[in-house]
PDB file of all heavy atoms in Angstrom:
ATOM      1  N   PHE A  64     -34.448  61.913 -27.160  1.00  0.00           N
ATOM      2  CA  PHE A  64     -33.833  62.685 -28.135  1.00  0.00           C
ATOM      3  C   PHE A  64     -32.568  61.873 -28.716  1.00  0.00           C
ATOM      4  O   PHE A  64     -31.656  61.629 -28.027  1.00  0.00           O
ATOM      5  CB  PHE A  64     -33.267  64.089 -27.667  1.00  0.00           C
ATOM      6  CG  PHE A  64     -34.239  65.062 -27.408  1.00  0.00           C
ATOM      7  CD1 PHE A  64     -35.088  65.043 -26.290  1.00  0.00           C
ATOM      8  CD2 PHE A  64     -34.629  66.162 -28.226  1.00  0.00           C
ATOM      9  CE1 PHE A  64     -36.034  65.924 -25.969  1.00  0.00           C
ATOM     10  CE2 PHE A  64     -35.542  67.041 -28.028  1.00  0.00           C
ATOM     11  CZ  PHE A  64     -36.326  67.031 -26.802  1.00  0.00           C
ATOM     12  N   SER A  65     -32.646  61.532 -29.977  1.00  0.00           N
ATOM     13  CA  SER A  65     -31.661  60.648 -30.537  1.00  0.00           C
ATOM     14  C   SER A  65     -31.335  61.276 -31.905  1.00  0.00           C
ATOM     15  O   SER A  65     -32.019  62.000 -32.560  1.00  0.00           O
ATOM     16  CB  SER A  65     -32.147  59.302 -30.631  1.00  0.00           C
ATOM     17  OG  SER A  65     -33.242  59.011 -31.531  1.00  0.00           O
ATOM     18  N   GLY A  66     -30.212  60.751 -32.486  1.00  0.00           N
ATOM     19  CA  GLY A  66     -29.713  61.306 -33.833  1.00  0.00           C
ATOM     20  C   GLY A  66     -29.083  60.239 -34.636  1.00  0.00           C
ATOM     21  O   GLY A  66     -28.678  59.191 -34.119  1.00  0.00           O
ATOM     22  N   LEU A  67     -28.791  60.649 -35.877  1.00  0.00           N
ATOM     23  CA  LEU A  67     -27.995  59.860 -36.745  1.00  0.00           C
ATOM     24  C   LEU A  67     -27.222  60.932 -37.646  1.00  0.00           C
ATOM     25  O   LEU A  67     -27.720  61.936 -37.982  1.00  0.00           O
ATOM     26  CB  LEU A  67     -28.922  58.958 -37.612  1.00  0.00           C
ATOM     27  CG  LEU A  67     -29.465  57.717 -37.083  1.00  0.00           C
ATOM     28  CD1 LEU A  67     -30.504  57.145 -38.064  1.00  0.00           C
ATOM     29  CD2 LEU A  67     -28.410  56.723 -36.750  1.00  0.00           C
ATOM     30  N   GLN A  68     -26.086  60.362 -38.099  1.00  0.00           N
ATOM     31  CA  GLN A  68     -25.273  61.015 -39.125  1.00  0.00           C
ATOM     32  C   GLN A  68     -25.041  60.100 -40.257  1.00  0.00           C
ATOM     33  O   GLN A  68     -24.575  58.901 -39.834  1.00  0.00           O
ATOM     34  CB  GLN A  68     -24.023  61.693 -38.600  1.00  0.00           C
ATOM     35  CG  GLN A  68     -23.422  62.550 -39.746  1.00  0.00           C
ATOM     36  CD  GLN A  68     -22.013  63.271 -39.269  1.00  0.00           C
ATOM     37  OE1 GLN A  68     -21.355  62.544 -38.515  1.00  0.00           O
ATOM     38  NE2 GLN A  68     -21.624  64.398 -39.724  1.00  0.00           N
ATOM     39  N   PHE A  69     -25.346  60.334 -41.425  1.00  0.00           N
ATOM     40  CA  PHE A  69     -25.074  59.536 -42.615  1.00  0.00           C
ATOM     41  C   PHE A  69     -23.795  59.557 -43.195  1.00  0.00           C
ATOM     42  O   PHE A  69     -23.084  60.553 -43.038  1.00  0.00           O
ATOM     43  CB  PHE A  69     -26.315  59.511 -43.448  1.00  0.00           C
ATOM     44  CG  PHE A  69     -27.639  59.371 -42.931  1.00  0.00           C
ATOM     45  CD1 PHE A  69     -28.431  60.384 -42.415  1.00  0.00           C
ATOM     46  CD2 PHE A  69     -28.053  58.103 -42.772  1.00  0.00           C
ATOM     47  CE1 PHE A  69     -29.609  60.223 -41.872  1.00  0.00           C
ATOM     48  CE2 PHE A  69     -29.308  57.804 -42.048  1.00  0.00           C
ATOM     49  CZ  PHE A  69     -30.157  58.952 -41.741  1.00  0.00           C
ATOM     50  N   PRO A  70     -23.293  58.588 -43.999  1.00  0.00           N
ATOM     51  CA  PRO A  70     -22.091  58.658 -44.713  1.00  0.00           C
ATOM     52  C   PRO A  70     -21.855  59.956 -45.559  1.00  0.00           C
ATOM     53  O   PRO A  70     -20.702  60.450 -45.782  1.00  0.00           O
ATOM     54  CB  PRO A  70     -22.102  57.426 -45.623  1.00  0.00           C
ATOM     55  CG  PRO A  70     -22.948  56.531 -44.850  1.00  0.00           C
ATOM     56  CD  PRO A  70     -24.007  57.406 -44.343  1.00  0.00           C
ATOM     57  N   ASN A  71     -22.941  60.621 -46.016  1.00  0.00           N
ATOM     58  CA  ASN A  71     -22.769  61.880 -46.794  1.00  0.00           C
ATOM     59  C   ASN A  71     -22.817  62.990 -45.899  1.00  0.00           C
ATOM     60  O   ASN A  71     -22.906  64.274 -46.168  1.00  0.00           O
ATOM     61  CB  ASN A  71     -23.962  61.908 -47.704  1.00  0.00           C
ATOM     62  CG  ASN A  71     -25.302  62.073 -47.299  1.00  0.00           C
ATOM     63  OD1 ASN A  71     -25.492  62.008 -46.008  1.00  0.00           O
ATOM     64  ND2 ASN A  71     -26.241  62.277 -48.119  1.00  0.00           N
ATOM     65  N   TYR A  72     -22.808  62.802 -44.502  1.00  0.00           N
ATOM     66  CA  TYR A  72     -22.791  63.819 -43.397  1.00  0.00           C
ATOM     67  C   TYR A  72     -23.992  64.446 -43.290  1.00  0.00           C
ATOM     68  O   TYR A  72     -24.051  65.283 -42.425  1.00  0.00           O
ATOM     69  CB  TYR A  72     -21.700  64.669 -43.574  1.00  0.00           C
ATOM     70  CG  TYR A  72     -20.256  63.990 -43.713  1.00  0.00           C
ATOM     71  CD1 TYR A  72     -19.320  64.340 -44.789  1.00  0.00           C
ATOM     72  CD2 TYR A  72     -19.864  63.146 -42.877  1.00  0.00           C
ATOM     73  CE1 TYR A  72     -18.090  63.721 -44.836  1.00  0.00           C
ATOM     74  CE2 TYR A  72     -18.724  62.353 -42.888  1.00  0.00           C
ATOM     75  CZ  TYR A  72     -17.818  62.744 -43.982  1.00  0.00           C
ATOM     76  OH  TYR A  72     -16.687  62.048 -43.977  1.00  0.00           O
ATOM     77  N   SER A  73     -25.122  64.087 -43.933  1.00  0.00           N
ATOM     78  CA  SER A  73     -26.425  64.623 -43.541  1.00  0.00           C
ATOM     79  C   SER A  73     -26.834  64.023 -42.227  1.00  0.00           C
ATOM     80  O   SER A  73     -26.256  63.041 -41.783  1.00  0.00           O
ATOM     81  CB  SER A  73     -27.475  64.358 -44.649  1.00  0.00           C
ATOM     82  OG  SER A  73     -27.705  62.942 -44.762  1.00  0.00           O
ATOM     83  N   SER A  74     -27.927  64.605 -41.624  1.00  0.00           N
ATOM     84  CA  SER A  74     -28.157  64.078 -40.270  1.00  0.00           C
ATOM     85  C   SER A  74     -29.578  64.088 -39.891  1.00  0.00           C
ATOM     86  O   SER A  74     -30.371  64.892 -40.667  1.00  0.00           O
ATOM     87  CB  SER A  74     -27.496  65.083 -39.297  1.00  0.00           C
ATOM     88  OG  SER A  74     -27.711  64.729 -37.888  1.00  0.00           O
ATOM     89  N   GLU A  75     -30.023  63.360 -38.999  1.00  0.00           N
ATOM     90  CA  GLU A  75     -31.431  63.431 -38.441  1.00  0.00           C
ATOM     91  C   GLU A  75     -31.507  63.564 -37.017  1.00  0.00           C
ATOM     92  O   GLU A  75     -30.526  63.133 -36.252  1.00  0.00           O
ATOM     93  CB  GLU A  75     -32.098  62.053 -38.754  1.00  0.00           C
ATOM     94  CG  GLU A  75     -32.534  61.766 -40.175  1.00  0.00           C
ATOM     95  CD  GLU A  75     -33.203  60.576 -40.424  1.00  0.00           C
ATOM     96  OE1 GLU A  75     -33.354  59.772 -39.376  1.00  0.00           O
ATOM     97  OE2 GLU A  75     -33.738  60.332 -41.570  1.00  0.00           O
ATOM     98  N   LEU A  76     -32.428  64.232 -36.509  1.00  0.00           N
ATOM     99  CA  LEU A  76     -32.863  64.358 -35.159  1.00  0.00           C
ATOM    100  C   LEU A  76     -34.152  63.750 -34.886  1.00  0.00           C
ATOM    101  O   LEU A  76     -35.068  64.114 -35.598  1.00  0.00           O
ATOM    102  CB  LEU A  76     -32.878  65.884 -34.663  1.00  0.00           C
ATOM    103  CG  LEU A  76     -33.503  66.159 -33.392  1.00  0.00           C
ATOM    104  CD1 LEU A  76     -32.712  65.558 -32.175  1.00  0.00           C
ATOM    105  CD2 LEU A  76     -33.549  67.705 -33.127  1.00  0.00           C
ATOM    106  N   ASN A  77     -34.240  62.736 -34.067  1.00  0.00           N
ATOM    107  CA  ASN A  77     -35.538  62.089 -33.700  1.00  0.00           C
ATOM    108  C   ASN A  77     -35.845  62.380 -32.311  1.00  0.00           C
ATOM    109  O   ASN A  77     -35.130  62.391 -31.284  1.00  0.00           O
ATOM    110  CB  ASN A  77     -35.355  60.670 -33.872  1.00  0.00           C
ATOM    111  CG  ASN A  77     -35.022  60.217 -35.316  1.00  0.00           C
ATOM    112  OD1 ASN A  77     -35.741  60.279 -36.160  1.00  0.00           O
ATOM    113  ND2 ASN A  77     -33.799  59.725 -35.579  1.00  0.00           N
ATOM    114  N   VAL A  78     -37.177  62.712 -32.078  1.00  0.00           N
ATOM    115  CA  VAL A  78     -37.725  62.906 -30.785  1.00  0.00           C
ATOM    116  C   VAL A  78     -38.956  62.136 -30.492  1.00  0.00           C
ATOM    117  O   VAL A  78     -39.876  62.184 -31.396  1.00  0.00           O
ATOM    118  CB  VAL A  78     -38.072  64.386 -30.456  1.00  0.00           C
ATOM    119  CG1 VAL A  78     -38.422  64.622 -29.121  1.00  0.00           C
ATOM    120  CG2 VAL A  78     -36.917  65.312 -30.867  1.00  0.00           C
ATOM    121  N   ASN A  79     -38.860  61.143 -29.648  1.00  0.00           N
ATOM    122  CA  ASN A  79     -39.977  60.311 -29.325  1.00  0.00           C
ATOM    123  C   ASN A  79     -40.789  60.849 -28.228  1.00  0.00           C
ATOM    124  O   ASN A  79     -40.368  61.796 -27.390  1.00  0.00           O
ATOM    125  CB  ASN A  79     -39.444  58.901 -28.759  1.00  0.00           C
ATOM    126  CG  ASN A  79     -38.726  58.192 -29.947  1.00  0.00           C
ATOM    127  OD1 ASN A  79     -39.127  58.311 -31.049  1.00  0.00           O
ATOM    128  ND2 ASN A  79     -37.605  57.599 -29.578  1.00  0.00           N
TER     129      ASN A  79
END
Side-chain angles (χ1 to χ4, degrees):
Chain A
F64 286 79
S65 63
L67 282 172
Q68 186 182 31
F69 299 100
N71 65 355
Y72 303 131
S73 65
S74 178
E75 287 183 354
L76 164 65
N77 299 289
V78 186
N79 294 321

